[in-house]
Amino acid sequence: MTARQSGVRTSPEVEAEVVRLVREGQTRGQVAKTVGVHPQTVSRIVRDTEGLEFARTGSSSSGTPEAMAKARGVRSEYARNRRAVLSDRILDATEKTLDLLDTCTDPRNRQFLSQSLRNHTTAYADLTAQDAKAAPDLTVVVSMFDRLTAGVEAYVAAAGPARPGLIQD
């Protein structure tokens, strides 16, 4: 039977010490070992203390809302940078596919390349949509994408309709 089930509450002194240690950035296990309580007790105290969370960016971060906002900002920036790298790779692949489409004469291969272009533009749109919504200063990226999409659609339209018997959408 746990202390909580038996009706015994953690003393206010222990709870205050747990809060202090969590704000210093210690992990749940470190706090439990230092104070001499079960890790679930530490979790309960943190959960029941308004505005207190465990640090998620290392031992130097405190569990205050400001520190957690900063940690979320770091994670958001990392994700944004990863999406930017992936977006660049998709644009590079799109350019290569367009170059292949310029030299391709086989109708079946042209159809496959056209489908690949469509997939590239869809993937790029999906990847950049989150950043475009979050940051209005990314309208340049969105307009570049719009220009690329318009160029691809014009190129595919100029290629003419596919012959009967080819893979159709």
Side-chain angles (χ1 to χ4, degrees), residues 31-81:
V31 173
K33 191 173 186 178
T34 302
V35 177
V37 295
H38 196 275
Q40 288 178 341
T41 303
V42 175
S43 295
R44 178 188 50 81
I45 293 169
V46 170
R47 184 182 59 245
D48 293 346
T49 304
E50 190 172 326
L52 182 66
E53 296 179 14
F54 286 108
R56 293 193 176 109
T57 60
S59 61
S60 64
S61 176
S62 67
T64 63
E66 296 81 19
M68 294 310 299
K70 183 178 179 183
R72 282 189 292 276
V74 169
R75 285 193 304 272
S76 294
E77 184 176 344
Y78 173 78
R80 203 170 22 256
N81 290 339

Side-chain angles (χ1 to χ4, degrees), residues 146-169:
D146 290 342
R147 280 187 257 149
L148 174 68
T149 303
V152 167
E153 288 174 355
Y155 193 87
V156 170
R163 282 185 337 186
L166 288 180
I167 299 172
Q168 301 292 319
D169 283 6

Side-chain angles (χ1 to χ4, degrees), residues 18 21 24 26 39 43 71 83 101 110 123 125 147 151 157:
V18 167
L21 292 172
E24 285 179 4
Q26 291 191 21
S43 295
R83 285 192 300 273
L101 199 54
R110 288 182 69 78
R147 280 187 257 149

